């Protein structure tokens, strides 16, 4: 990497330390492999965000400037946790080797949080019947958080993370799934209307491990949650599911990166969103990379969006990069469209009022993803959350 | 005693080439307990009549009127018509992904009755009706019409007819695509609804086959957007022998 030369006219402090190659989407730099993106733990080593970069061009960067560039020194939020089976939750100070054991930030927002944390919560899951629910309430100030989730070899765990309340945060979550282990992790973003959040989930899968990662984004002014999965172990599997509902003036963004890096790995990505109201905006970017080491890969990603009103916009960008021909399959699908009037007619013809019929269709559309989770309690709780969001919508 | 009255109904449908006139003056009265068969060649407007009664937005009523017990049906929204007691068993039921049959049936029943059904009796009613229609219990957890075979879709329509208990039911080519066994099961369902609720039935069909199992009181031959001939069950027998040629050529001459 060559450091960008600082401008002669205006010296930007942050640029003096920048080691990131400026690409800026101006066509000055040839398209590089997804794996070649600049990575660093230090915010100062990144270029300032202009909004033209591949990874930022869909994001309202003005609204999240404090998270990209500001001090994130708010007090750590109070966590309410319920831990069962072999689940335990501890605090470690910055500098602990668990921090950074899974991921390295690929953009400035994530690094800005990483640079400022005092420590991290570590959730350890060791046993075949682990359950953890961690609920967190925002209380106003901008802050950085860090969570490390470690699933021991051959363990089985279900984890629910839930965020509510006011404020703003940049949150990094590192998830390590040990050999032969299985993790279902659901993260629910149900913040107050004014909340702004940048979040990155880094996931590393050891041999024959399985992760089911479920993102549910309902509340918040800006929520940008990127999930980066490294299928590092042979035979590992990732199912990445997402459900989101954006209403007026809400920006919900999800960027997924699936890195197939070992033989016989499997991934499925399935994100669905509904949008309603002026300025409702959603972004989905799905990058899948199949590296030369990943022979026998089986990969498929899909994003669907349902636009319920005028003035809403959904961006959907699937990308596929294949470096070996010896694979089982690699495909993607993306579709964004409006309501199907025939579905409404059918339901109304059974006496169901239009308002309830609409809600039922949207709920059905989104629960098509929820139904894939396969854990009845979690499915029921998510359907409840979606229902509550939909009735807020029409109320 | 319910009465559906259709009076000099003219309907057009919007196509890419503009509005096309389909129904050209239909008069028909269906009362509780009566079974009317509407028969006719393809493209004669039978399904248009069914969808117009149900209120599909694609069809535009140019003139005439429809009343149920004297109340203007055309002024009602789609769901109001269903709540007033009209039911349309569709030829091509629509898939509703992610909505289970159980959830759908309960929501529809609650809407029609204006209150949720009593849990215990409701579950029993659903179970009994499904058994009668030879539907596997796992059906209840499947998404509405998603991946259903042709026969399953039709049974699901009749299941709704039995559970929602309408005053007047319109069955739009419910027999199409069914083998003999499935046809018998479906016909039994309609006959059960007739005997238990005294529902008035408007049975739209191309073939006489279903009339062996559901006996009509009246037969109307539909040609070129209106009723060309009316009679009792014997008219169906005649159609069985002669087909529609007589009417089609007559209408072409006229």
């Amino acid at each position: 990497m060559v450091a960008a030369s600082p401008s002669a006219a205006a010296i930007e402090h942050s640029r003096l330390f920048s080691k990131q190659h400026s690409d800026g989407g101006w066509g000055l730099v040839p398209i590089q492999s997804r794996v070649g993106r600049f990575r660093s733990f230090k915010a100062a080593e990144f270029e300032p965000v202009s909004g033209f970069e591949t990874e930022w061009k869909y994001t309202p960067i003005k609204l999240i400037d404090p998270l990209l560039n500001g001090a994130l020194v708010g007090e750590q939020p109070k966590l309410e946790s319920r831990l069962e089976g072999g689940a335990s939750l501890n605090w470690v100070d910055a500098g602990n080797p668990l921090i950074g054991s899974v991921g390295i930030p690929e953009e400035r927002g994530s690094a800005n949080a990483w640079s400022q944390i005092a420590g991290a919560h570590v959730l350890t899951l060791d046993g075949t019947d682990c359950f953890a629910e961690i609920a967190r309430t925002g209380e106003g100030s901008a802050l950085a958080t860090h969570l490390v989730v470690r699933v021991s070899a051959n363990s089985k765990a279900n984890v629910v993370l839930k965020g509510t309340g006011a404020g703003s945060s940049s949150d990094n979550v590192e998830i390590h799934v040990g050999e032969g282990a299985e993790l279902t992790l659901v993260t629910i973003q149900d913040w107050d209307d004014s909340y702004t959040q940048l979040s990155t989930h880094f996931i590393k899968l050891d041999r024959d491990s399985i992760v089911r990662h479920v993102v549910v984004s309902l509340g918040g002014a800006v929520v940008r949650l990127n999930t980066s999965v490294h299928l590092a172990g042979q035979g590992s599997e990732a199912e990445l599911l997402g459900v989101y509902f954006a209403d007026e003036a809400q920006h919900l963004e999800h960027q997924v990166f699936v890195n197939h890096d070992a033989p016989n790995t499997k991934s499925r990505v399935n994100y669905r969103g509904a949008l309603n109201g002026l300025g409702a905006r959603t972004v989905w970017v799905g990058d899948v990379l199949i590296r030369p080491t990943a022979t026998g890969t089986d990969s498929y990603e899909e994003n669907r969006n349902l636009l319920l009103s005028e003035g809403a916009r959904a961006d959907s960008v699937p990308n596929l990069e294949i470096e070996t021909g010896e694979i089982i399959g690699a495909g993607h699908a993306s579709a964004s469209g409006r309501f199907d009037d025939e579905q409404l007619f059918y339901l109304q013809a059974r006496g169901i009022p239009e308002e309830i019929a609409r809600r039922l269709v949207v709920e059905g559309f989104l629960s098509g993803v929820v139904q894939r989770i396969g854990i009845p309690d979690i499915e029921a709780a998510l359907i409840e959350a979606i229902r509550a969001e939909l009735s807020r919508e029409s109320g | 005693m319910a009465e559906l009255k259709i009076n000099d109904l003219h309907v057009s449908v919007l196509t890419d080439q503009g509005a096309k006139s389909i129904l050209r003056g239909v008069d028909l009265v269906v009362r509780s307990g009566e079974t009317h068969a509407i028969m006719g060649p393809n493209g004669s407007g039978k399904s248009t009549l069914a969808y117009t009664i149900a209120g599909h937005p694609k069809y535009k009523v140019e003139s005439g009127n429809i009343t149920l017990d004297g109340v203007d049906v055309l002024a009602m929204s789609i769901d109001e018509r269903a709540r007033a007691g009209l039911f349309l068993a569709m030829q091509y039921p629509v898939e509703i992904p992610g909505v289970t049959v159980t959830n759908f049936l309960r929501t529809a029943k609650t809407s029609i009755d204006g209150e949720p059904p009593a849990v215990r009796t409701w579950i029993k009613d659903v179970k009994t009706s499904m058994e009668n229609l030879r539907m596997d219990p796992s059906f209840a957890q499947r998404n509405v019409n998603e991946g259903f075979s042709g026969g399953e879709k039709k049974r699901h329509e009749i299941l709704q007819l039995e559970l929602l208990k309408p005053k007047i039911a319109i069955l739009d080519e419910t027999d199409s695509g069914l083998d003999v066994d499935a046809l018998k099961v479906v016909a039994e369902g309609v006959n059960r609804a007739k005997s238990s609720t005294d529902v008035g039935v408007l049975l739209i069909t191309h073939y006489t086959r279903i009339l062996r199992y559901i006996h009509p009181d009246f037969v109307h031959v539909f040609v070129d957007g209106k009723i060309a001939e009316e009679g009792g069950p014997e008219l169906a027998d005649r159609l069985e022998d002669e087909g529609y040629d007589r009417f089609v050529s007559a209408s072409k001459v006229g």
Side-chain angles (χ1 to χ4, degrees), chain B residues 6-28:
Chain B
I6 299 165
N7 181 29
D8 194 24
L9 189 68
H10 291 253
V11 173
S12 65
V13 63
L14 205 61
T15 67
D16 294 339
Q17 287 80 40
K20 186 178 175 227
S21 166
I22 308 260
L23 299 187
R24 304 156 192 239
V26 178
D27 293 289
L28 186 67

Side-chain angles (χ1 to χ4, degrees), chain B residues 34-52:
Chain B
E34 296 177 353
T35 299
H36 294 247
I38 292 202
M39 307 192 60
N42 291 327
S44 57
K46 305 186 299 288
S47 289
T48 296
L49 177 63
Y51 278 89
T52 303

Side-chain angles (χ1 to χ4, degrees), chain A residues 179-212:
Chain A
E179 199 171 304
E182 185 177 340
L183 169 69
T184 298
L185 184 142
V186 182
T187 173
I188 304 169
Q189 291 67 240
D190 198 10
W191 308 107
D192 287 359
D193 288 344
S194 62
Y195 203 93
T196 54
Q197 182 188 28
L198 293 180
S199 181
T200 307
H201 286 217
F202 303 90
I203 305 170
K204 187 181 173 201
L205 299 176
D206 286 354
R207 187 178 173 127
D208 296 329
S209 67
I210 297 173
V211 71
R212 213 170 289 110

Side-chain angles (χ1 to χ4, degrees), chain B residues 16-108:
Chain B
D16 294 339
Q17 287 80 40
K20 186 178 175 227
S21 166
I22 308 260
L23 299 187
R24 304 156 192 239
V26 178
D27 293 289
L28 186 67
V29 178
V30 180
R31 296 183 185 85
S32 297
E34 296 177 353
T35 299
H36 294 247
I38 292 202
M39 307 192 60
N42 291 327
S44 57
K46 305 186 299 288
S47 289
T48 296
L49 177 63
Y51 278 89
T52 303
I53 296 169
H56 195 290
K58 189 171 137 194
Y59 302 97
K60 185 163 178 271
V61 175
E62 302 290 355
S63 64
N65 57 64
I66 305 175
T67 57
L68 179 63
D69 298 334
V71 182
D72 184 5
V73 169
L74 296 176
M76 298 180 197
S77 65
I78 305 162
D79 47 297
E80 282 169 346
R81 295 177 196 207
R83 292 199 296 275
L86 295 173
F87 178 86
L88 169 62
M90 296 189 203
Q91 188 181 356
Y92 303 109
V94 183
E95 292 183 7
I96 317 280
V99 177
T100 61
V101 168
T102 303
N103 186 10
F104 164 68
L105 291 176
R106 200 188 323 104
T107 308

Side-chain angles (χ1 to χ4, degrees), chain B residues 184-246:
Chain B
K184 277 187 194 164
V185 169
V186 161
E188 280 167 23
V190 175
N191 288 330
R192 266 195 308 277
K194 279 173 65 177
S195 64
S196 68
T197 66
D198 205 30
V199 59
V201 174
L202 186 57
L203 185 69
I204 293 174
T205 181
H206 183 84
Y207 302 104
T208 52
R209 191 176 62 150
I210 193 172
L211 304 182
R212 274 179 238 152
Y213 307 102
I214 303 171
H215 302 293
D217 305 303
F218 307 92
V219 174
H220 313 265
V221 182
F222 215 72
V223 179
D224 204 18
K226 51 182 187 251
I227 292 167
E229 190 165 339
E230 295 176 295
E234 74 288 345
L235 182 53
D237 298 333
R238 221 181 127 192
L239 287 171
E240 171 99 59
D241 297 336
E242 299 173 8
Y244 297 113
D245 277 357
R246 180 164 62 98

Side-chain angles (χ1 to χ4, degrees), chain A residues 159-327:
Chain A
V159 174
V160 178
L161 307 176
K162 189 170 184 190
T164 55
S168 65
S169 61
S170 181
D171 307 295
N172 288 305
V173 179
E174 294 186 82
I175 300 162
H176 179 249
V177 187
E179 199 171 304
E182 185 177 340
L183 169 69
T184 298
L185 184 142
V186 182
T187 173
I188 304 169
Q189 291 67 240
D190 198 10
W191 308 107
D192 287 359
D193 288 344
S194 62
Y195 203 93
T196 54
Q197 182 188 28
L198 293 180
S199 181
T200 307
H201 286 217
F202 303 90
I203 305 170
K204 187 181 173 201
L205 299 176
D206 286 354
R207 187 178 173 127
D208 296 329
S209 67
I210 297 173
V211 71
R212 213 170 289 110
H213 183 263
V214 189
V215 174
V216 182
S217 298
L218 301 173
V222 179
V223 173
R224 180 177 132 130
L225 196 153
N226 295 357
T227 304
S228 176
V229 183
H230 185 195
L231 294 114
Q234 185 173 338
S236 55
E237 280 184 38
E239 180 154 29
L240 308 179
L241 305 174
V243 171
Y244 46 91
F245 191 111
D247 40 43
E248 208 173 295
Q250 216 181 358
H251 178 101
L252 302 177
E253 177 167 348
H254 303 94
Q255 298 198 15
V256 173
F257 174 34
V258 179
N259 182 358
H260 284 274
D261 196 14
N264 306 320
T265 50
K266 180 177 172 183
S267 69
R268 291 288 180 273
V269 181
N270 197 335
Y271 272 64
R272 279 192 191 181
L275 300 84
N276 191 30
L278 196 64
R281 178 82 195 272
T282 67
V283 178
W284 177 84
V285 179
D287 295 335
V288 172
L289 168 65
I290 301 172
R291 304 187 73 174
T293 43
T295 53
T297 286
D298 179 6
S299 165
Y300 192 81
E301 58 171 353
E302 177 182 312
N303 173 231
R304 292 187 189 280
N305 296 294
L306 186 57
L307 288 95
L308 304 173
S309 74
E310 299 284 321
R313 172 175 164 173
D315 288 274
S316 181
V317 189
N319 296 310
L320 188 51
E321 195 182 344
I322 306 177
E323 296 178 342
T324 172
E326 293 171 51
I327 58 170

